């Protein structure tokens, strides 16, 4: 136990020294504020473009302020998709400002290694990203759900789903996770011939069963769990809800989708750290021969390439039914390995 306590104590001591250092506090605060500003700007730009595109749906029932409120409710959760890139850009801008002011040179002369400087500058975005992840789980997701519910009164977005179970062909439109409408049930005999066809107005989905609510006989049919929740609705589940949902799902395809969302949220802070780590190493590696602006462009490009590689990795692992955790850890590991190599060359 004593051997394990020594590295832990040293790490805590290092973090305390970083926090207490004046330049470190300034760099952390600067990177935090700039990252928050970059995320807010990206959020505003996305909201503005979406609002302009949605204005073509103006009608007597759905006015400008109705559309504005619907988009506003969902925008905060939607902005989480820009979290990694905005944290990357915020860190690089903070480093470039420090470099122009000569503070990076002072820190290097004071004994701060490039790795330590990138570590310090990355603390601000990491803290900000953790705050956003917390509010996304506790507030943003609820606002997004309210937006979808409010929007359903103006648009019929539910899709007709069909499935075959116990000699029944069942089609329905899902209103939400539990309620369905426009139910069509076609029954077959052993010779695969149609024996009856019924239409019902509404019903409920509970525990793998479809309960018809507008029939006096209260008919019940088996209905696969995999059809209960659409992919769009899954994305609006909190992390805790996804963990609970994973224990109740039996379909392997659904478990892969749920695991993908769980690991995406669980590993997001580590993913942000990996992108900042590599971008910082490249900035120090080439800052002697090129301008800081060029380094920012390179860092942003790395962020987009990383997103592309990550999406490709996730799609491949889902297609071939491979462990989905590796789909997220593989790109992160590649970035950390390249960054470590670049830091050794500085």
């Amino acid at each position: 136990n004593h051997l394990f306590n020594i590295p832990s104590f040293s790490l805590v001591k290092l973090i305390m020294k970083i926090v207490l250092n004046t330049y470190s506090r300034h760099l952390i605060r600067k990177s935090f504020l700039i990252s928050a500003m970059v995320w807010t700007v990206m959020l505003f730009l996305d909201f503005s473009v979406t609002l302009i595109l949605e204005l073509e749906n103006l009608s007597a029932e759905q006015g400008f302020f109705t559309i504005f409120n619907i988009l506003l409710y969902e925008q905060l959760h939607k902005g989480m998709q820009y979290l990694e890139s905005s944290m990357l850009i915020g860190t690089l801008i903070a480093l470039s400002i420090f470099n122009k002011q000569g503070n990076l040179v002072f820190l290097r002369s004071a004994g701060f290694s490039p790795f330590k400087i990138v570590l310090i500058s990355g603390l601000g975005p990491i803290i900000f990203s953790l705050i956003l992840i917390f509010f996304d789980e506790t507030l943003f997701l609820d606002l997004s759900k309210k937006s979808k519910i409010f929007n359903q009164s103006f648009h019929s977005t539910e899709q007709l789903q069909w499935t075959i179970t116990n000699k029944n062909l069942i089609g329905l439109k899902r209103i939400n996770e539990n309620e369905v409408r426009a139910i069509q049930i076609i029954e077959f005999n052993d010779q695969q011939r149609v024996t009856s066809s019924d239409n019902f107005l509404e019903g409920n989905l509970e525990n793998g069963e479809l309960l018809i609510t507008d029939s006096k006989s209260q008919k019940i049919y088996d209905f696969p769990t995999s059809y209960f929740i659409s992919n769009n609705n899954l994305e609006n589940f909190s992390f805790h809800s996804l963990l609970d949902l994973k224990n109740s799902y039996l379909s392997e395809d659904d478990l892969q989708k749920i695991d993908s969302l769980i690991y995406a949220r669980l590993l997001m802070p580590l993913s942000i750290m990996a992108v900042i780590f590599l971008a910082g190493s490249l900035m120090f590696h080439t800052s002697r021969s090129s301008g800081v602006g060029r380094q920012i462009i390179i860092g942003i490009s790395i962020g987009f390439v990383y997103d592309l590689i990550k999406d490709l990795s996730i799609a491949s692992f889902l297609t071939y039914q491979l462990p989905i955790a590796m789909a997220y850890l593989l790109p992160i590991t590649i970035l950390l390995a390249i960054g470590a190599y670049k830091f050794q060359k500085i």
Side-chain angles (χ1 to χ4, degrees):
N1 293 333
H2 179 68
L3 293 176
F4 288 104
N5 288 335
I6 293 177
S8 300
F9 178 76
S10 301
L11 180 60
V12 172
K13 188 177 180 180
L14 174 62
I15 294 176
M16 290 300 296
K17 288 180 64 177
I18 291 175
V19 173
L20 293 176
N21 183 274
T22 303
Y23 276 94
S24 298
R25 290 201 308 270
H26 179 62
L27 183 53
I28 293 172
R29 183 168 58 252
K30 180 80 71 174
S31 61
F32 179 91
L33 295 175
I34 293 177
S35 298
M37 181 190 67
V38 171
W39 185 77
T40 304
V41 170
M42 296 182 71
L43 201 69
F44 175 77
L45 292 176
D46 180 78
F47 177 79
S48 301
V49 173
T50 306
L51 180 61
I52 293 173
L53 294 176
E54 287 292 329
L55 288 180
E56 64 181 20
N57 297 324
L58 282 173
S59 62
E61 297 81 12
Q62 191 175 19
F64 173 80
F65 289 105
T66 301
I67 296 176
F68 182 88
N69 290 331
I70 291 174
L71 295 179
L72 186 63
Y73 280 158
E74 70 175 3
Q75 191 61 40
L76 290 173
H77 173 63
K78 185 180 177 182
M80 296 301 292
Q81 63 183 313
Y82 307 116
L83 187 58
E84 291 172 320
S85 57
S86 59
M87 296 304 101
L88 168 63
I89 296 171
T91 303
L92 290 174
I93 292 177
L95 284 174
S96 66
I97 293 175
F98 252 58
N99 186 61
K100 287 184 178 181
Q101 296 174 346
N103 292 327
L104 292 185
V105 177
F106 175 80
L107 290 175
R108 291 291 300 274
S109 63
F112 282 71
S113 65
F115 172 77
K116 191 174 181 180
I117 294 175
V118 174
L119 174 63
I120 296 171
S121 61
L123 285 178
I126 290 296
I127 294 172
F128 181 72
S129 64
L130 290 176
I131 293 174
L132 283 183
I133 291 172
F134 171 78
F135 279 108
D136 185 52
E137 292 292 318
T138 58
L139 178 62
F140 298 167
L141 283 169
D142 291 336
L143 292 176
S144 180
K145 290 178 182 178
K146 289 181 180 179
S147 172
K148 292 185 179 298
I149 294 174
F150 189 54
N151 195 30
Q152 283 179 355
S153 60
F154 300 99
H155 299 285
S156 180
T157 57
E158 65 270 20
Q159 298 179 350
L160 184 65
Q161 297 181 343
W162 289 92
T163 185
I164 298 178
T165 173
N166 293 337
K167 301 179 183 179
N168 296 323
L169 176 61
I170 303 177
L172 52 80
K173 290 185 178 181
R174 184 175 51 231
I175 300 175
N176 51 44
E177 288 80 1
N178 299 318
E179 299 179 358
V180 296
R181 59 182 290 270
I183 304 168
Q184 304 177 43
I185 300 177
I186 302 174
E187 297 185 8
F188 298 87
N189 57 20
D190 294 334
Q191 288 74 36
Q192 300 299 315
R193 294 181 179 179
V194 177
T195 58
S196 65
S197 177
D198 297 310
N199 294 321
F200 302 97
L201 294 177
E202 55 189 19
N204 291 325
L205 295 172
E206 294 179 2
N207 301 322
E209 294 180 336
L210 170 62
L211 173 63
I212 306 300
T213 57
D214 66 331
S215 174
K216 295 181 180 179
S217 59
Q218 292 289 312
K219 294 182 178 180
I220 299 177
Y221 299 91
D222 292 332
F223 201 82
T225 308
S226 59
Y227 284 84
F228 277 9
I229 302 174
S230 65
N231 292 339
N232 290 334
N233 286 334
L234 274 177
E235 293 177 358
N236 287 323
F237 274 58
S238 65
F239 182 77
H240 183 267
S241 298
L242 287 173
L243 292 177
D244 292 338
L245 192 63
K246 179 180 178 181
N247 297 326
S248 62
Y249 261 57
L250 300 178
S251 172
E252 191 65 28
D253 292 338
D254 288 324
L255 286 177
Q256 285 280 80
K257 298 173 186 175
I258 295 172
D259 284 339
S260 178
L261 291 172
I262 290 175
Y263 286 115
R265 298 182 187 181
L266 185 65
L267 297 176
M268 182 177 287
L270 182 60
S271 178
I272 295 172
M273 292 176 62
V275 173
I276 294 173
F277 180 69
L278 176 61
S281 68
L282 292 178
M283 185 173 184
F284 277 99
H285 185 72
T286 59
S287 60
R288 300 167 185 163
S289 58
S290 58
V292 177
R294 182 181 177 185
Q295 309 312 313
I296 295 177
I297 296 176
I298 292 175
I300 295 173
S301 302
I302 291 172
F304 285 118
V305 172
Y306 172 66
D307 287 337
L308 181 62
I309 295 175
K310 185 171 64 174
D311 292 340
L312 180 62
S313 175
I314 295 170
S316 300
F317 276 70
L318 285 174
T319 302
Y320 295 102
Q321 299 292 309
L322 298 174
I324 195 63
M326 294 301 300
Y328 289 92
L329 290 174
L330 182 60
I332 293 175
T333 303
I334 293 174
L335 289 190
L336 292 176
I338 297 175
Y341 175 77
K342 290 294 184 179
F343 270 116
Q344 291 179 352
K345 296 294 183 179
I346 297 177

